Amino acid sequence: MKKKSYFSFLTVFLAAMLMLAGCFGGEKASDSPSNGDNGKKPEEAKTPKVLHLNNTEEPGALHPGLAQGTHDSWILEGTFEGLTKKTPEGKIVDGMAKDWEISEDGLTYTFHLKDDMKWSNGDPVTAQDFEYAWKFVLNPKSASDYAYQLYYVKGGEKYNSYKLTKSKDPKKLKKQDEELKALEDQVGVKAKDDKTLEVTLAEATPYFLDLTNFYTYYPINKKVQEENPKWYTEASTFVSNGAFKLTEWKHKESLKIEKNENYYDKDSIKLDAVTFAVIDNETTAYNMYNSGELDLVYPIPQDVLPSLEGSKAFHNGPDLATYYYNLNNKVKPFNNVKVRRALSLAIDRKAIVENVAQGGQKPAYSLVPPGIPEGDNGDYQENGGNLFSENLDEAKKLLAEGLKEEGMKEMPKLTLVYNTSEAHKKIAEAVQQMWKKNLGVNIKLENVEFQVKIDREHAGDFQVSRGGWSGDYVDPMTFMDLFVTGGPYNDAGWSNKEYDKYINTAKTSMDPETRMSAMHSAEKIFAEEMPVVPIYFYTKPYVLKENVTGVFTPINKYPQYIYADIEK
């Protein structure tokens, strides 16, 4: 979950004309308006390097503890940094932490922060900021959807699971605050001093270090958060610790981040700024790329993908992500496993990836995508293989049996909700036709903004919805624990005790073979129960101007621009 020419600013008139040209502050891709020559002669003035990208949606929350999607994370990854970060090869290296020690039992991690770390406002970055940020996420008052990612920390789940009172009685509220404070003090993250963070886990977790470069684990400035809880909603109050800082936010239009001069590795940052045009239409974004207004576009319209093969500007690679449809298991007839399986078996995934998606995606016959090593025993997904296959005769049989069991003579008309996107629309239309042709099932399509879709899914206000998940870390668990009973992203509302048991075994065991075996067993249950309908495994096709260098694409992130450069 992943190059142009420059102008000389010879006169004030020309600079003004450039400011009026193009869009998003008058900047053309790989160009930018002059910020003045600071007394230098024109030939000495440096032309700022500005990279222009597209963000498919207005960010929901540019707060590490409240963010919940790639429409947030792509910007957060440039403006914040965790204890660790990753190289282009996927190796975990030092971020804010210069080094760390892990106890022999795998339960205690001690991180030592680098010297002279600063926030964009000049405040020092301290171990207390990390402790405060993690506890903010876990505080039930924060209502963080990603709080479960910190359940690995001792006491984290107990703190976050505290049931808040609805009473306004001062005595009850005081008692609640006292109980919350006691639970908070038991959470296993402690700043031993300004530069030392000690983390105690509930259970040894093989992939914990990988989690420390995920955005939910980023720090937040304690002083800023306490003085202005809404600091993250406007550029003027935004404070971050990463390579860039947010300097402009025209809501639902564009954002701009500029090089953070307080960043410890600022000399390695070649870009002066990055802009994000908020565009939910792939064709519009691609046309802006062709007209020189954008330098990198992801995703690309499906109908142009075939024509890009062989182009030096076209890049594609694996993506640790699965595209699927949520079925609301709490709504009839999706409470019936036969109905759910029938809908899944009636979809021609090969036709979708070859004729609709067209980006090299692979049909998904399991939940976990390729790309996750199973120790030294190859790829986890390849080892598990296909867990189901399409079968129209079986689908028709199952649908008839399932409806009869629910006392229904026919399938009610369904509504499939998807977030606004040409790609999602075309895939939904293909599935709509397949279900109609193969099963006689009619569905209505409804498109909404991404954040609206998320809110409706969390509220259970849907029948079928477009879903997708990009791995937060490189382990099967990032997909498998989505569907535990009561999981915050278990939008299907599915529950299976045996599945939960296997997931718990995999989470609490340090033995690689035991962990992987338990997850394979759980995934087989998932495939038999079919709470959601896997469609395909993503790839990451994007176009990038040839004079832009240094962009790389980790398997579980969007294209990374932090160390990008623009050549003349």
Side-chain angles (χ1 to χ4, degrees):
M1 273 177 129
K2 97 204 189 247
K3 279 192 174 187
K4 270 202 188 65
S5 61
Y6 299 97
F7 290 112
S8 296
F9 300 95
L10 302 177
T11 67
V12 175
F13 173 75
L14 181 54
M17 291 300 290
L18 287 169
M19 288 289 287
L20 293 172
C23 62
F24 307 109
E27 300 171 26
K28 195 174 181 182
S30 298
D31 300 316
S32 58
S34 172
N35 57 1
D37 58 15
N38 298 317
K40 295 181 180 180
K41 295 179 181 180
E43 64 270 21
E44 296 175 340
K46 176 187 175 184
T47 302
K49 295 181 178 182
V50 182
L51 186 70
H52 298 267
L53 312 177
N54 67 306
N55 205 50
T56 55
E57 299 280 348
E58 168 78 358
L62 290 183
H63 186 304
L66 301 175
Q68 56 179 323
T70 51
H71 60 318
D72 304 319
S73 64
W74 207 17
I75 299 165
L76 288 175
E77 287 164 359
T79 52
F80 283 85
E81 185 170 289
L83 293 166
T84 64
K85 57 186 178 181
K86 284 188 174 182
T87 66
E89 296 75 31
K91 181 182 178 182
I92 299 172
V93 297
D94 55 289
M96 287 283 115
K98 63 180 179 181
D99 54 41
W100 51 85
E101 296 104 35
I102 306 172
S103 62
E104 288 187 11
D105 60 8
L107 292 176
T108 304
Y109 288 67
T110 305
F111 296 91
H112 304 283
L113 271 60
K114 294 173 179 173
D115 295 328
D116 301 321
M117 299 294 97
K118 292 183 180 180
W119 291 95
S120 56
N121 67 351
D123 291 345
V125 177
T126 67
Q128 287 86 352
D129 289 325
F130 279 93
E131 177 184 350
Y132 179 81
W134 294 13
K135 289 180 175 178
F136 171 89
V137 173
L138 289 168
N139 189 330
K141 291 183 179 180
S142 300
S144 172
D145 286 315
Y146 259 108
Y148 76 97
Q149 289 288 26
L150 280 156
Y151 284 4
Y152 302 101
V153 178
K154 184 179 180 180
E157 183 172 8
K158 186 175 181 180
Y159 180 33
N160 184 247
S161 300
Y162 182 90
K163 300 299 181 184
L164 298 174
T165 180
K166 295 181 180 179
S167 173
K168 295 183 179 179
D169 185 329
K171 291 184 178 180
K172 290 184 177 179
L173 291 175
K174 181 181 179 181
K175 181 182 178 182
Q176 173 179 273
D177 288 343
E178 291 173 349
E179 291 174 343
L180 283 172
K181 183 64 172 64
L183 290 172
E184 179 187 315
D185 290 342
Q186 295 172 27
V187 174
V189 53
K190 305 291 181 185
K192 308 300 287 185
D193 54 47
D194 287 351
K195 297 298 179 183
T196 309
L197 185 74
E198 184 179 87
V199 181
T200 304
L201 304 184
E203 303 283 349
T205 306
Y207 47 88
F208 180 73
L209 203 58
D210 199 346
L211 280 166
T212 60
N213 56 72
F214 181 60
Y215 59 80
T216 307
Y217 281 74
Y218 291 164
I220 56 176
N221 187 308
K222 178 181 178 181
K223 178 182 176 182
V224 170
Q225 176 70 39
E226 291 180 339
E227 290 180 355
N228 178 18
K230 296 294 182 181
W231 61 269
Y232 61 94
T233 61
E234 298 294 340
S236 60
T237 53
F238 196 85
V239 177
S240 59
N241 72 319
F244 296 88
K245 58 185 178 181
L246 182 66
T247 58
E248 181 178 280
W249 189 352
K250 297 178 181 178
H251 290 280
K252 296 191 175 183
E253 181 182 330
S254 64
L255 302 92
K256 183 177 184 179
I257 60 177
E258 296 183 4
K259 183 176 179 178
N260 178 11
E261 291 300 329
N262 287 325
Y263 183 56
Y264 70 92
D265 196 24
K266 65 180 180 180
D267 292 341
S268 298
I269 308 304
K270 307 303 181 185
L271 297 175
D272 293 292
V274 182
T275 67
F276 297 85
V278 179
I279 307 168
D280 64 11
N281 185 292
E282 291 99 332
T283 298
T284 299
Y286 185 65
N287 288 340
M288 290 175 66
Y289 170 84
N290 284 329
S291 67
E293 296 171 86
L294 295 177
D295 295 305
L296 184 157
V297 167
Y298 175 72
I300 304 171
Q302 293 168 335
D303 57 355
V304 305
L305 282 170
S307 67
L308 292 172
E309 290 293 339
S311 168
K312 291 182 179 180
F314 179 66
H315 303 262
N316 201 358
D319 195 357
L320 196 66
T322 303
Y323 192 107
Y324 57 85
Y325 281 129
N326 285 302
L327 301 177
N328 193 335
N329 287 217
K330 295 184 178 181
V331 174
K332 277 194 173 188
F334 301 125
N335 59 307
N336 191 291
V337 62
K338 292 181 178 179
V339 173
R340 299 196 300 265
R341 286 183 57 80
L343 292 174
S344 180
L345 301 186
I347 294 175
D348 186 344
R349 292 160 177 79
K350 188 171 184 288
I352 289 176
V353 299
E354 292 183 354
N355 304 323
V356 183
Q358 302 184 87
Q361 298 89 346
K362 295 182 178 180
Y365 299 104
S366 59
L367 172 62
V368 179
I372 300 176
E374 188 167 339
D376 296 325
N377 300 316
D379 184 89
Y380 174 89
Q381 191 276 329
E382 291 179 3
N383 290 343
N386 294 342
L387 301 182
F388 65 93
S389 60
E390 289 128 15
N391 187 321
L392 293 186
D393 290 336
E394 180 69 8
K396 293 174 182 177
K397 175 176 172 290
L398 288 171
L399 183 62
E401 291 177 354
L403 291 176
K404 184 177 180 180
E405 290 173 2
E406 298 304 317
M408 304 171 74
K409 293 184 178 180
E410 61 181 15
M411 192 77 153
K413 188 165 185 179
L414 309 174
T415 298
L416 189 161
V417 179
Y418 65 92
N419 51 297
T420 304
S421 159
E422 293 174 79
H424 299 328
K425 179 182 179 182
K426 290 179 180 178
I427 293 169
E429 288 174 340
V431 171
Q432 180 186 45
Q433 293 172 8
M434 291 174 186
W435 282 348
K436 173 65 176 177
K437 177 183 177 182
N438 298 332
L439 297 175
V441 173
N442 295 302
I443 63 170
K444 172 187 174 184
L445 305 183
E446 178 185 3
N447 72 293
V448 296
E449 290 184 359
F450 188 37
Q451 194 61 47
V452 173
K453 183 189 81 76
I454 291 175
D455 292 342
R456 284 181 59 177
E457 286 171 333
H458 288 353
D461 181 20
F462 72 98
Q463 292 173 301
V464 185
S465 72
R466 197 291 300 181
W469 192 259
S470 179
D472 298 329
Y473 47 94
V474 185
D475 189 275
M477 188 59 73
T478 189
F479 293 90
M480 299 303 297
D481 71 352
L482 289 176
F483 298 100
V484 296
T485 300
Y489 284 93
N490 183 357
D491 296 321
W494 178 60
S495 177
N496 184 286
K497 291 182 179 180
E498 191 177 3
Y499 181 91
D500 293 346
K501 182 180 178 181
Y502 280 122
I503 297 304
N504 185 61
T505 297
K507 279 190 170 184
T508 57
S509 174
M510 280 296 284
D511 178 64
E513 188 174 337
T514 299
R515 290 188 69 249
M516 294 299 172
S517 176
M519 285 189 281
H520 279 304
S521 296
E523 194 171 12
K524 289 177 182 177
I525 294 172
F526 170 90
E528 292 167 359
E529 290 278 315
M530 204 67 69
V532 305
V533 179
I535 304 297
Y536 63 70
F537 298 130
Y538 281 84
T539 51
K540 204 174 296 175
Y542 64 95
V543 285
L544 176 70
K545 295 298 183 181
E546 292 180 41
N547 66 325
V548 177
T549 62
V551 173
F552 65 96
T553 53
I555 192 171
N556 64 326
K557 295 180 185 293
Y558 270 29
Q560 299 292 289
Y561 52 82
I562 294 174
Y563 293 107
D565 196 3
I566 299 171
E567 299 176 346
K568 292 185 179 181

